[in-house]
Amino acid sequence: MQDLRITIIQTTLHWQDAAANRAMFSEKLAAAAPATDLIVLPEMFTTGFSMDAAGLAEEAEGPTLQWMQEEAARYSAVLTGSVMVKEGDSYYNRLYWVRPDGTYEHYDKRHLFRMAKEHHSYTPGKEKLLVELKGWNICPLVCYDLRFPVWSRNTNSQYDLLLYVANWPKPRANAWSTLLQARAIENLSYVVGVNRVGTDGNNHPYSGDSAIIHPKGHKLLETTEAEGIHTITLSKQELTDFREAFPAHLDADDFTLN
């Protein structure tokens, strides 16, 4: 069983300036030069959480995806995070999962944050994404998805790691931290949550609080409001041993989503 090395980047973002954000992340990665398997960026990492989809969204294979492919190759690591994407007449808050060889998959955010009228600007996704990395099954989701445990339910232990990229505001920081721990405990899975810091163009503050949670619910990594790049190694053996010692997943309810 192989361990998994994960690097998370918690940072402020340049408001609605994709080129500046790509350059900023390139500089941070070059300075850290992480030896890692997976690099995780926040939600809408090129713009901040903006509803100006019509003015800012890129085509599906636009400059940000190309940048992600270059950076993934440079660090021999998977790179993931979400961006605004236009496809046909629709706009999506799309998470890309980009491998070092340039291949990629995507997940479109299912639960759109109606309090910011995200559902007026974007189309919700319909399918979850499960990806494999070094023998780990991983389910990447986006921000508001965290509040909906049915969508993230680890049915038949499909995944080993549940991942959330976010722009989660400071006034609801307690919900963010509590729900990350709950998702780990109920799904017998590691959970990674990557949030931003700073204040966006709508004057919403973000406190970061990015974290990596053990399947038992305790925090393996917990950040403050400071910017930072953090790398941690997750043990597959620990996960397997815990599931064998405490097989609560065998008593889980069966269900299907319509």
Side-chain angles (χ1 to χ4, degrees):
M1 294 185 184
Q2 297 189 73
D3 292 342
L4 188 68
R5 195 161 170 81
I6 298 179
T7 298
I8 67 172
I9 303 182
Q10 177 173 283
T11 183
T12 188
L13 298 172
H14 299 282
W15 181 244
Q16 300 187 157
D17 191 337
N21 282 307
R22 290 192 297 266
M24 178 265 292
F25 279 110
S26 289
E27 291 175 3
K28 288 182 180 295
L29 285 168
T36 192
D37 302 308
L38 173 62
I39 300 168
V40 188
L41 310 182
E43 176 186 24
M44 289 195 185
F45 68 87
T46 58
T47 57
F49 191 61
S50 169
M51 297 304 104
D52 186 12
L56 298 170
E58 300 179 12
E59 296 296 326
E61 297 190 350
T64 296
L65 177 59
Q66 295 171 26
W67 173 85
M68 293 179 76
Q69 290 170 320
E70 292 168 0
E71 296 296 310
R74 180 171 291 114
Y75 297 102
S76 298
V78 169
L79 184 63
T80 192
S82 91
V83 297
M84 300 179 186
V85 169
K86 182 179 188 296
E87 196 165 74
D89 294 327
S90 298
Y91 299 96
Y92 298 93
N93 184 346
R94 176 166 292 178
L95 176 144
Y96 281 116
W97 179 270
V98 183
R99 302 180 184 90
D101 65 1
T103 62
Y104 66 93
E105 298 183 61
H106 74 265
Y107 163 74
D108 294 328
K109 186 178 182 182
R110 163 82 165 192
H111 299 94
L112 302 178
F113 190 56
R114 73 174 51 249
M115 281 65 83
K117 296 182 172 55
E118 187 179 14
H119 61 305
H120 290 171
S121 298
Y122 300 90
T123 298
K126 297 179 180 179
E127 302 291 336
K128 281 200 294 188
L129 174 65
L130 289 174
V131 288
E132 185 274 335
L133 178 60
K134 291 185 68 177
W136 290 66
N137 293 320
I138 301 171
C139 179
L141 299 175
V142 180
C143 202
Y144 193 44
D145 287 331
L146 178 60
R147 288 187 176 268
F148 302 94
V150 173
W151 184 239
S152 62
R153 185 66 179 169
N154 197 9
T155 308
N156 299 320
S157 298
Q158 289 177 311
Y159 60 76
D160 308 303
L161 170 63
L162 183 61
L163 188 154
Y164 292 94
V165 302
N167 273 213
W168 194 286
K170 184 175 182 178
R172 294 182 291 279
N174 182 63
W176 164 257
S177 297
T178 301
L179 292 173
L180 286 175
Q181 288 180 286
R183 297 294 88 83
I185 293 168
E186 71 194 10
N187 290 304
L188 301 179
S189 169
Y190 288 102
V191 170
V192 172
V194 178
N195 195 21
R196 62 160 294 178
V197 292
T199 302
D200 69 15
N202 292 318
N203 207 35
H204 296 311
Y206 299 85
S207 58
D209 305 303
S210 299
I212 298 178
I213 316 295
H214 190 276
K216 292 182 180 179
H218 60 268
K219 294 181 179 179
L220 298 171
L221 173 69
E222 182 177 17
T223 66
T224 62
E225 290 191 41
E227 293 190 349
I229 299 179
H230 308 273
T231 300
I232 190 170
T233 300
L234 304 184
S235 169
K236 186 70 173 295
Q237 188 65 59
E238 269 191 51
L239 174 63
T240 299
D241 290 347
F242 177 55
R243 285 175 172 174
E244 290 178 354
F246 192 79
H249 59 286
L250 298 180
D251 300 312
D253 299 306
D254 291 325
F255 64 91
T256 56
L257 290 174
N258 295 325

